[in-house]
Amino acid sequence: MEDDHRREDEWFRENEKQLLQAAQVARLRRERERAARKAASELAKLRDMHLMKCPKCGHDLKEQELEGIKVDRCTHCEGVFFDAGELDQIFAKKAAERRGFFRRLAGI
Ligand SMILES: [Zn+2]
C-alpha cells in the first residue's frame, strides 16, 4: 500500500515537472515574441521620425532626379545625400554624363 502511494507521488511529481517545463517553454516563446514585436515597433518609430529628414539639421529632404539618379536635397541647409548604390551609378556613367550630373547638382 505504501509502495502504491510512493509510486503515485512520483507520478504526480514527474507530471508536474513536465507541465512546469512546458509552461516555461511557452513563457519564453511569448517573451521572445514580445521582444521581437517591440524591436519592430521601435524600428518603425525610428523610421517614421527620420525618413526623409536631413541628418545634419533635421529639416525635410526633397527628392530630386538628376540624370536619372535620385538624390535627396535638404530644403533648409541644402545638403545633398545619396542612397546606397547611387554613387556607384554616378561613377558608372560616361564622363560627359557624369559632368552633367555634377553641374545640375551644383545648379549651374
Ligand atoms: Zn539640412
Side-chain angles (χ1 to χ4, degrees):
M1 196 65 186
E2 200 169 297
D3 267 2
D4 284 349
H5 264 299
R6 204 171 54 227
R7 271 199 296 273
E8 196 176 290
D9 275 357
E10 281 173 16
W11 183 88
F12 274 109
R13 265 203 312 273
E14 185 57 33
N15 190 42
E16 281 183 0
K17 191 175 148 192
Q18 287 174 7
L19 289 173
L20 282 171
Q21 282 174 344
Q24 187 181 25
V25 166
R27 186 166 35 80
L28 288 173
R29 192 189 64 236
R30 289 193 302 274
E31 224 173 87
R32 278 196 301 272
E33 287 168 358
R34 277 195 300 274
R37 276 199 302 274
K38 186 180 175 201
S41 149
E42 283 172 3
L43 273 179
K45 215 182 294 174
L46 271 176
R47 188 177 190 276
D48 289 347
M49 278 169 54
H50 297 285
L51 186 68
M52 292 306 281
K53 296 290 180 192
C54 177
K56 292 285 239 180
C57 72
H59 282 76
D60 290 340
L61 294 176
K62 192 176 174 192
E63 195 175 74
Q64 182 180 20
E65 191 168 335
L66 304 172
E67 307 293 329
I69 295 169
K70 291 173 182 165
V71 299
D72 300 322
R73 190 185 295 269
C74 178
T75 55
H76 181 72
C77 72
E78 300 184 26
V80 177
F81 304 93
F82 298 97
D83 289 341
E86 286 177 339
L87 272 179
D88 299 348
Q89 285 181 281
I90 295 163
F91 285 116
K93 285 187 174 296
K94 291 177 186 155
E97 290 175 342
R98 197 165 46 235
R99 198 165 40 250
F101 170 83
F102 283 113
R103 281 186 175 154
R104 292 200 54 208
L105 190 64
I108 56 174

